[in-house]
Structures are given as C-alpha cells and as structure tokens.
Amino acid sequence: MKQKGKPSEDITIFDVANEAGVSYSTVSRVLNNKEHVSPEKRERVLRAMAELGYVANIQARTLAGGRSHIVGLLVHGLDTSYIGEIMKGIDNELHTVNYDLMLYTTHRRKTKESAYVVKLTRNLVDGLLLVLPRNADAYLETLRQRHFPHVLVDHLGLPTIDAPAVGATNWQGAYEATTYLLDLGHRRIGFITGSMELGCAVERLEGYKAALEKHGIVIDPELIREGDFLQPRGYTCARELLALAEPPTAIFASNDISAFGAMEAVRDHGLQIPRDISIIGFDDIPQAASVNPPLTTVRQPLEQMGSSAARMLLDYIAEPDRPVERLELPTELIVRQSCREPLPLGLTSTL
Amino acid sequence: MKQKGKPSEDITIFDVANEAGVSYSTVSRVLNNKEHVSPEKRERVLRAMAELGYVANIQARTLAGGRSHIVGLLVHGLDTSYIGEIMKGIDNELHTVNYDLMLYTTHRRKTKESAYVVKLTRNLVDGLLLVLPRNADAYLETLRQRHFPHVLVDHLGLPTIDAPAVGATNWQGAYEATTYLLDLGHRRIGFITGSMELGCAVERLEGYKAALEKHGIVIDPELIREGDFLQPRGYTCARELLALAEPPTAIFASNDISAFGAMEAVRDHGLQIPRDISIIGFDDIPQAASVNPPLTTVRQPLEQMGSSAARMLLDYIAEPDRPVERLELPTELIVRQSCREPLPLGLTSTL
DNA sequence: GTGAAAGCGCTAACAG
DNA sequence: CTGTTAGCGCTTTCAC
C-alpha cells in the first residue's frame, strides 16, 4: 500500500498517454525534450499534461537512469551569512533551470563530510557543490574517477587538488588591504589567519606577507596568529596581539567574523576603533556594514560565486567530461570607518 | 546505460543477500527493521552490509512505497540569519534520525509557494516544514486532506488556519517590550509592524496595543506604521515617525531587521540612540548584539523553534493522524543598550 | 521465519 | 517517428 498521496491524485505518465492517445514512451520523450516526436503529438501530450496536472515522479525517473534535477550542497554550517550569501546565488541560478537543492550540513565534522559524499553520489543528486570543504582530498579523487559532477566553492589554490572550483582573488585582496593599511602609515600590522587547511586562508596570508615585503617591512611572526574564521578565536588572537610588548597599530582579520571578534577584544581592552587601532576584515558579509564602526573589508562577491559555481556544475552535469575549469572572481576593497592613520607614537597607551 | 556511478560500486540489496547467503527479501526486512528475521540471519546481513559498504538507494526505496527520509523545507529566502537560526535547529534535529533536508526558496512569490507544495507532496519528501508561509491558506487544506505531514514555523495565531505549528509568545513578548519602554517613562512609542498577513505580526501589534491600554494610554494610529519585516521599510517607517509633528521618543520594530532600518533612519535624522530616541527590536538575531548600539530586543528561541518543529514533523511522519498540535515557545526581553529614559521635554530638538 | 513474485513510474534500447 | 520491451533497486504481498 502506498503511504503518501491519494490514488486519485497520482497522475502517471500512463494516464497522460491515455488522455493524449499516444503510447507512454512518447510522453516520456516529450517529458525529456527529446526529438523524434511530431509537433502535433507533442502538442497533444503537453495539453494532456496540463489538463491532468501531471507532475513527474522524481524517484522513478532517477531510478530508471534519468536525471533527478537535484543538486547536493555541502556546507559546514549555517552559522554565518557567508553561507547565506553564497546560497542565494546558487539558489537563483538553479531556479532558472528548475533544479532543486538538497542541503547537507557537516557541522565541521570531517568524517561526516566523506560519509555524505559517498551517500550522495550513490543517491539522488546529479551533482555536488562543496562550500569550503575541509576534507576534500579524501573524496575528490573518487568524485573525479566516477565522473561525478562537482564544483568547489572558495577552495582554490591548494596545489594538491585539481578539481573544478570557483573562488575569489584572495591573494590580491589581502595584498590590497595590507597596502591600504601601509599607505595609511601603519607599520606593525597584526594578522589573524583563517583555517590554514583552506586554500583561501593560505592565499590571504601570502597576500599580506607579499605586501609587507614589497614595502620592505620584515615579517614579524609574532604579529601573525592562527585563527579559524570564527569569532571566539578572532577575539583571542586579538587579545594576544594587544598583549604584545610592541602591539600592532592595525589588525587584519582573515574574515569579517574574526574581525568582529577582534573588535570586541579591542573594546574590552579599553581602546577605540579606529582611533587607537585599525581593523580590517575580509568577505564583506552584510553585517560588516552595520557593526560599529562600520567595518572596512575586502569584498568577496559571495552571491556571484554561488551562482557561478551552480552554473559551472550544471555544465558538468550536461557534459561530465569537460576539462577542469577554475574561476577566480575579483575582490574589492570596501573602505568604511574602521581604519585610519596610526596614532603618533607614545599616544597609544593613553588609557 | 546508467549515467552515474561505476557498476562495481553499485552494491545492491541483491549483492548483500548473496554475500550473506539469504534471500533479498530478508535483507530488505533487516534494512527496514522489521520483525520475523532470526537474530542470526539479521546479524549475518548486517555484517555483509558493512563489509560491502552497502548504501540504500533512496529512489528505489521511495518508489517501492517506503519512506524517503527526506523532509522538505520551504522558506521565503536566505537573506537574514532569522532563517539561518531556525535551520540550524531543524538541521540538528533531523541529523539525529538520519533525515535529509530538501530546501525550497520561494523568494516571497506566493504562486511559487503553492506550486512547490504540489510538487513536493507528489514527490520525494516525507513531510514539509513551512517557515513563515505567505500563502498557507491556499494549500493547507490540501495537505490536511492528503494526510501529508507538515508543520508551520512561526505562523501561529491566524484563526483561519488550524494546522500543526510551532511559534513563540509573540503577544507576550511585544507586551513586555512595550511595558519596558513605558516603565522607562516613554509615552509616545512608535510601532513598526511586520507583514500583517502573518500571524506573528498581528500578535506583536496586539501585544503592543494591550500594554499601552493597560497603562491607560490611548493608541495613536499615527504612531503605527505598516512594515514588512525588511530593512528598507523599517527605514521608511521610522522616517515617517520622525517627521510627525509630535514624534515618538521610542520606536518598537516588529523584528530586528526593521529595527536596523529604523536605527539608520534615526542616525540619518541626526539623532542619537538611545540618547534622543530608544529603539527596540524583536527576534534577537545574532547581529542584534553587534550593531551600534547593541539592540535591546525580544528574544525568540529561533533555533529551538526549528528543532521543535522538526521533532513534531517527525512525529507526524510516524503517525500522520495524530491530532493537531501547536507549540508556543517563550520569548524573553534582552536588554542591551538601545533604550533608556526619554529626554526631558524640549530637549529632543537639540540638533 | 523465509523466499518468490509482482509491481512502484519511468527511461532507454529495441524494433518497426 | 512511434510503440514495445526490459529493467532501475526496493517494498510488499503472498505462499511455503
């Protein structure tokens, strides 16, 4: 016995065939936009579908070897609007081609990530979108071997991986942000990294270092703290930076969330932003504009990254053997009010 | 020809049966935790599954009349962390029972909402979670008739609807917030509503009115502006309020996002929060704590609402004919720094 | 308790 | 161009 739906509502391809007076293979052809159907019959089938309110059964379709018109999206969590923005882009793109989205949250557990990937590729989805994967090496090879369409989001740059991906110009963005601080007159710039297992985090650090070197400033390892893209660690790192014998006059955090943590730390330390210390972030999530003071940051085109990735995935679904494509979208420095020139020496410790 | 997966990887129930030396019906029984299987065989099957790395095929399973172990989630958009918080709760709950999530975004288009519901109930998902539905009346009856498990989130209180739902004590929360403002000494309190087609918006307005009346203050319709839960409208409404001959000394916005709009308007008007005007919000999304000044607001247990709704949905999936259940979770006033006593008369226009 | 058999609704060869 | 024929992998009767 079927458990869902009333029988009367279950219009199948067979009913449509009946109504249109054709065989049900013809209906299937129309359904899948195949050729070899006379325009007249196609028309009749279409009308019958509309009249009966036919809705294709995804399960049957997929089981029989067709497409499910579903893509899987693997994210680590829904905590920040970082993901929200990317999802918005994905969603918009998918919507135009009538694809649906299956959401998987790994909660930053690496084992779950692999488990999901196995499960997904054996099931249901036509392709996989992986946002900031933590454990990609473990299954990327499998995905590739099985010719299973997939695209990484924001995970360019780690040389071990050669998978389709879309990201942003992390190095460039970090370079520009650092240069901006340098031009303001800062010489001791603290840096809070992201999760260093992520390509984007590495690139940002490199960009920071490159800008410093370009200005002939030797890199002080004390000024670089390893964060994890989360607010609490941003807070801790900033506190450590502040506690240095010779604290920085500016802090560059690898993402906005960390920057928020840093801002909190600065305030708790009794200092003012940007008077006593400048803060700069990365991402430009919506929140960045509304914190106090509005955060100067490097904008990543998150939504666009999402839509580009979805677009690319759709291409791979249509043609699984396309060559590996990698897209790098431009970042942009958004100047707001969290940075300014450093205080003349000796005035920092006014508190 | 199959398009996905390598044949060698496609372990089916049949392979498991082979390996375990039983018929594949027995494997199916084990898979579905049915009785009438000897412990010994069950054990053998389980071991074979593990060894072969068997993964059930959802499509086949669903097609054959079983559960898909997927629930659908219908939201209007991913713009705000309001949804993110709720999703976190849903996700956590579903995860414990190995259910997957299918995400549908309506982009606030009412027609899409109905279309999705039709599509979903004929397909794939075992149940439906509807967050802040806009057009629920259009399909709730269908859902009920078809005994299709569903739960509304944050849509209690509209008397036309009698569906399973979880929400929060909107009336009570608004009442308390208004009372708080009143106790601070405010007498002219502006109110920005939410989308009035939503039960929660209506309740919040009622709570506001009730508190005023309790204090013997006549309700001035000029002080009530119809918003839509979005920041731009919050901004506009606040501007209108500020332009009044006798402007309010406090503004109560029906959600935090609107409150942010109001804060912007107040600042653009050259006034300070909370010195010149107090602002209070509703929801307590994460952002509320980090705006400037930190927003006093009514906390809704968003995450908990999500998990309760998921839990309830699971119950309905297990037992579709359970009586309609409605859950109302408590709200709580979170006092931060956006409110204080009104300025002595005459000092407001100091600018 | 267990196996055999009959589909679920659809796609993809296969003949015409 | 169109209809016929097999399954896809699984759940569920139904016998044994």
Side-chain angles (χ1 to χ4, degrees), chain A residues 167-224:
Chain A
T169 54
N170 289 299
W171 187 94
Q172 187 67 24
Y175 184 90
E176 275 171 28
T178 311
T179 303
Y180 169 71
L181 253 16
L182 256 10
D183 289 348
L184 242 28
H186 294 278
R187 285 301 169 268
R188 280 188 73 70
I189 302 174
F191 188 84
I192 300 173
T193 78
S195 303
M196 293 306 282
E197 59 201 295
L198 259 21
C200 58
V202 176
E203 290 173 343
R204 288 173 201 175
L205 176 58
E206 292 308 321
Y208 157 82
K209 287 184 178 171
L212 251 33
E213 277 165 4
K214 175 77 183 300
H215 275 66
I217 296 177
V218 312
I219 288 154
D220 181 351
E222 272 205 331
L223 253 22
I224 300 174

Side-chain angles (χ1 to χ4, degrees), chain B residues 72-91:
Chain B
L73 173 63
L74 204 67
V75 302
H76 49 67
L78 281 350
D79 317 66
T80 72
S81 37
Y82 165 86
I83 298 285
E85 292 296 302
I86 292 178
M87 278 174 76
K88 221 192 297 184
I90 293 173
D91 191 73

Side-chain angles (χ1 to χ4, degrees), chain B residues 307-319:
Chain B
S307 55
S308 299
R311 185 69 259 154
M312 197 186 285
L313 183 64
L314 258 12
D315 289 344
Y316 278 107
I317 289 173
E319 199 188 329

Side-chain angles (χ1 to χ4, degrees), chain A residues 77-143:
Chain A
L78 279 352
D79 317 66
T80 72
S81 38
Y82 166 87
I83 299 285
E85 292 295 302
I86 292 178
M87 278 175 75
K88 222 194 294 186
I90 293 172
D91 190 72
N92 284 336
E93 195 65 33
L94 255 29
H95 174 235
T96 64
V97 292
N98 242 296
Y99 254 77
D100 291 333
L101 199 59
M102 195 114 185
L103 183 69
Y104 290 87
T105 321
T106 64
H107 301 282
R108 296 176 192 270
R109 307 267 300 300
K110 292 185 186 176
T111 52
K112 279 200 70 176
E113 210 173 281
S114 314
Y116 272 147
V117 170
V118 171
K119 184 175 173 186
L120 281 166
T121 57
R122 277 252 324 115
N123 270 307
L124 211 58
V125 306
D126 291 344
L128 213 43
L129 249 18
L130 303 149
V131 178
L132 273 189
R134 296 279 164 149
N135 197 22
D137 292 10
Y139 47 75
L140 241 27
E141 185 55 25
T142 315
L143 252 23

Side-chain angles (χ1 to χ4, degrees), chain B residues 275-292:
Chain B
R275 201 189 69 118
D276 304 314
I277 189 161
S278 293
I279 304 273
I280 197 163
F282 207 110
D283 278 352
D284 193 29
I285 59 177
Q287 214 173 330
S290 55
V291 291
N292 171 40

